[in-house]
Amino acid sequence: MTHCITHACGHEQAHYIPGSTSEKARKTRWLTTTKCRACFVADRKAEDAAAGALDDAAVAHLCLAPLVGSERQVGWAASIRAKRLARMVQAAGGGDPDPACAAVGDARWWIDHRDLSDADLLTKARAAAPAHIPAGDGAARHAA
């Protein structure tokens, strides 16, 4: 049976709530303490945008290779790269990560390697980076 629930955000939303009478009552009480689907999604997008902005700010000083790929690949890879490099900058105490990571501009590469550990990502980046990029501890900073 479908129930119209007024959520904590003030919006009403229809929910199908199966189960026994007590289970339905418990679920109905819980749903009144949550946000509706639209508000939940909007909040999640805002949180993701704020986190993305922080990641972008953390890597803004790096000289990153332009990403190459389809429009969707570039958008997705840009967020992956910013998140991973921001985490590496933080782990390095604010210093630059290995320049090989900044030199990888293939969007698909970032997408394909998004789940690697930082150590494995560095190894793969050193193998994929152009030959003129020295692998190191981040001491070789950005190009002038």
Side-chain angles (χ1 to χ4, degrees):
M1 174 174 230
T2 303
H3 298 275
C4 191
I5 305 292
T6 301
H7 288 272
C9 59
H11 298 121
E12 288 187 2
Q13 184 176 346
H15 292 273
Y16 173 73
I17 305 174
S20 67
T21 303
S22 63
E23 290 171 339
K24 288 178 184 178
R26 182 185 52 78
K27 178 88 178 222
T28 300
R29 281 192 307 274
W30 174 75
L31 285 170
T32 61
T33 66
T34 64
K35 295 181 180 181
C36 71
R37 175 86 176 140
C39 288
F40 174 80
V41 169
D43 285 353
R44 184 63 184 250
K45 285 183 180 179
E47 289 170 8
D48 289 347
L54 288 175
D55 292 341
D56 289 342
V59 299
H61 68 284
L62 299 176
C63 202
L64 302 174
L67 290 170
V68 178
S70 71
E71 187 176 335
R72 289 185 67 187
Q73 284 176 327
V74 168
W76 190 15
S79 65
I80 293 167
R81 179 172 70 174
K83 181 178 181 178
R84 295 301 301 269
L85 291 180
R87 189 166 63 200
M88 290 178 183
V89 166
Q90 184 180 20
D96 291 352
D98 191 303
C101 287
V104 177
D106 181 20
R108 184 175 176 151
W109 185 92
W110 282 100
I111 295 167
D112 290 346
H113 295 88
R114 69 187 178 275
D115 293 326
L116 292 179
S117 68
D118 288 347
D120 290 341
L121 186 74
L122 283 172
T123 301
K124 296 280 189 179
R126 288 176 183 147
H132 67 278
I133 302 297
D137 60 359
R141 303 254 177 207
H142 0 177

